[in-house]
Amino acid sequence: MDNFLLKNDRKFGFTLVELIVSVGVFSVISTIAIGGFINALRTHRQAMALMTANSNTSAAIEQIAREIRTGKSFTVSGQSNLSFENAAGNNITYDLIGDSLTISENNDPAQKITDENVLVKYLSFRIINNIIPLVNYPSRIVINIGVAPRDIKTSVKNIDIQTVVSTRNE
Amino acid sequence: MIHDSRFMTQDSRLIIHDPKLIIRASGSMFHVSRSMIHDRSGQAIAEAIVALAILTIGYMAVLALLNRSLSITQVVSDQNIATYLASEGIEIVKNLSDANIKKGNSYNEGFGVGSYEVSYLTELESDNSSDGDNDNPGFRIGNQSDFSPDPLRFSPALGYSYDLASSPTKFYRTVRILPPAPPSGQMHVASIVIWNQKGGGQSSVQLEDFLFSN
């Protein structure tokens, strides 16, 4: 009976070589898999950062463009500071403070309108108004904004967005 | 197979108890059964490897999908830029139309059906007849089915424009005035931005607007 058990063990067990080979194969494959998983996490983080940068910029430009469209009396100081009177008669200032877009209403403290994770590299407003030959044209405000995700390197180095808004109020 | 080998070993056990004797007495039989056992365990490893390989391939497919999601996000960045460039095209036409009204002209004075290149410096022809481009607004590039052959150019100082000192981008913008031809109660404007995607394929954004008579 003892012999029967012994033989049975030999039949169903693994030899050392088999064990080493299988553990080796398993570790190689799991190394690849874990590497891939880490890579996937990084990719996901990059994708999220890019999406955040894009959606934040869209929202900010949309807000600025809407207000400019119905605004009047535009002035630019520096390059990134745009002041004007909005439809409600309030004095609005958009500016780049630090790395964030900000809005200030009636000289109240500036409030950020972009996220901390979005790096606004530059912001520039240009007023195309009364320069020859564009005399007596409604003001065109050219908005240039360059953004990138903060702290996360992606293949998209810089998102350069430009749009023009023509005021309807002049 | 399994049943066979078990049967044979059991068989040999039934005959002789001493393992040494097994080899001697029923050697050939034992050897057959041993090699069969060996085959079986080899099969188990082969099965495991195949299973792991299938899992790995499946996993790789998921990873490829994630990488694809990153490149799609980059496409989204381009679309974001293109949408604003297209909206700029519409806005400039609106500005030219508003300028007409401000000057007391018809809202569509100087507009003809066709494709145009416009930039934020584009003026109506009547304001500057000496700049050589005899059609207005902007630079007329042809009839309503033509596309602009000139890429928008970008420089930090000027932004996106057709200024030749700036470096060309992948974006091409065409602004179209579509029929019915002026003078009519409404003007159909389409602004199309096309660009070549990284890795092939062409993308486009088309915005349309209607301007109405004053």
Side-chain angles (χ1 to χ4, degrees):
Chain A
M1 204 58 198
D2 275 350
N3 273 339
F4 168 68
L5 282 175
L6 248 177
K7 269 182 234 149
N8 244 14
D9 279 354
R10 280 180 78 183
K11 223 167 70 177
F12 294 112
F14 296 112
T15 68
L16 185 61
V17 175
E18 283 167 357
L19 210 65
I20 289 169
V21 167
S22 56
V23 168
V25 168
F26 180 74
S27 53
V28 165
I29 288 172
S30 55
T31 308
I32 295 169
I34 288 167
F37 188 65
I38 290 170
N39 201 25
L41 282 178
R42 192 184 302 133
T43 307
H44 182 247
R45 205 161 49 228
Q46 289 180 355
M48 288 305 290
L50 267 176
M51 276 170 68
T52 309
N54 271 315
S55 58
N56 265 263
T57 321
S58 293
I61 291 183
E62 208 56 44
Q63 182 182 345
I64 297 171
R66 265 165 197 269
E67 215 151 24
I68 287 176
R69 216 163 265 151
T70 51
K72 60 182 177 187
S73 313
F74 299 92
T75 51
V76 168
S77 61
Q79 195 183 33
S80 66
N81 182 305
L82 176 76
S83 294
F84 59 95
E85 189 188 326
N86 74 359
N90 295 322
N91 186 33
I92 302 291
T93 303
Y94 285 103
D95 202 354
L96 177 66
I97 297 177
D99 299 325
S100 297
L101 271 171
T102 61
I103 179 175
S104 156
E105 200 167 334
N106 293 327
N107 295 321
D108 286 347
Q111 291 181 317
K112 289 180 177 176
I113 55 171
T114 51
D115 190 73
E116 289 287 337
N117 296 321
V118 180
L119 178 68
V120 181
K121 293 194 166 176
Y122 65 87
L123 170 71
S124 121
F125 293 107
R126 275 170 292 163
I127 302 173
I128 311 293
N129 185 16
N130 280 334
I131 53 168
I132 296 168
L134 301 176
V135 181
N136 212 21
Y137 279 55
S139 298
R140 296 174 187 174
I141 287 88
V142 185
I143 307 166
N144 280 88
I145 179 166
V147 292
R150 188 195 296 274
D151 297 336
I152 294 173
K153 280 187 180 144
T154 62
S155 51
V156 178
K157 297 276 176 285
N158 212 7
I159 309 168
D160 295 306
I161 293 178
Q162 170 181 307
T163 198
V164 169
V165 186
S166 163
T167 178
R168 315 289 201 258
N169 204 6
E170 283 182 349
Chain B
M1 240 7 196
I2 293 165
H3 185 78
D4 264 357
S5 72
R6 186 170 292 171
F7 171 75
M8 278 185 278
T9 342
Q10 280 175 355
D11 200 37
S12 59
R13 178 186 60 86
L14 285 176
I15 302 163
I16 298 145
H17 281 259
D18 190 344
K20 284 177 187 168
L21 284 175
I22 291 172
I23 297 162
R24 250 182 282 143
S26 57
S28 65
M29 205 182 202
F30 185 74
H31 277 295
V32 168
S33 71
R34 249 203 77 146
S35 78
M36 277 174 167
I37 291 163
H38 208 90
D39 275 350
R40 270 194 63 245
S41 65
Q43 265 173 21
I45 276 202
E47 281 161 13
I49 290 172
V50 167
L52 278 172
I54 290 171
L55 283 176
T56 315
I57 289 166
Y59 189 76
M60 289 299 168
V62 174
L63 288 187
L65 202 70
L66 278 167
N67 283 327
R68 180 98 185 101
S69 85
L70 183 66
S71 60
I72 284 173
T73 317
Q74 289 163 10
V75 171
V76 170
S77 289
D78 288 342
Q79 273 178 354
N80 202 17
I81 296 168
T83 307
Y84 282 108
L85 288 174
S87 130
E88 180 184 88
I90 297 272
E91 204 68 14
I92 288 160
V93 174
K94 172 69 178 160
N95 184 271
L96 295 172
S97 169
D98 284 353
N100 268 333
I101 295 170
K102 257 184 110 175
K103 286 185 277 192
N105 300 332
S106 164
Y107 82 110
N108 55 14
E109 176 101 2
F111 287 93
V113 170
S115 296
Y116 299 89
E117 281 173 4
V118 298
S119 83
Y120 58 83
L121 285 171
T122 294
E123 81 275 16
L124 279 170
E125 195 59 32
S126 54
D127 295 324
N128 184 4
S129 52
S130 62
D131 64 0
D133 48 340
N134 290 320
D135 297 293
N136 67 50
F139 177 59
R140 192 174 196 276
I141 48 171
N143 65 38
Q144 45 168 315
S145 58
D146 287 337
F147 277 99
S148 162
D150 306 313
L152 283 163
R153 289 161 178 271
F154 182 82
S155 74
L158 295 170
Y160 291 92
S161 68
Y162 289 107
D163 184 80
L164 290 173
S166 308
S167 49
T169 66
K170 58 182 162 184
F171 299 103
Y172 292 77
R173 180 175 60 204
T174 308
V175 174
R176 289 175 178 160
I177 310 292
L178 297 167
S184 63
Q186 67 173 40
M187 187 160 71
H188 188 183
V189 189
S191 181
I192 305 150
V193 174
I194 55 172
W195 71 99
N196 288 320
Q197 277 171 11
K198 212 163 150 188
Q202 198 175 60
S203 279
S204 72
V205 167
Q206 174 161 354
L207 298 182
E208 295 191 17
D209 201 358
F210 290 89
L211 307 184
F212 295 96
S213 127
N214 49 319

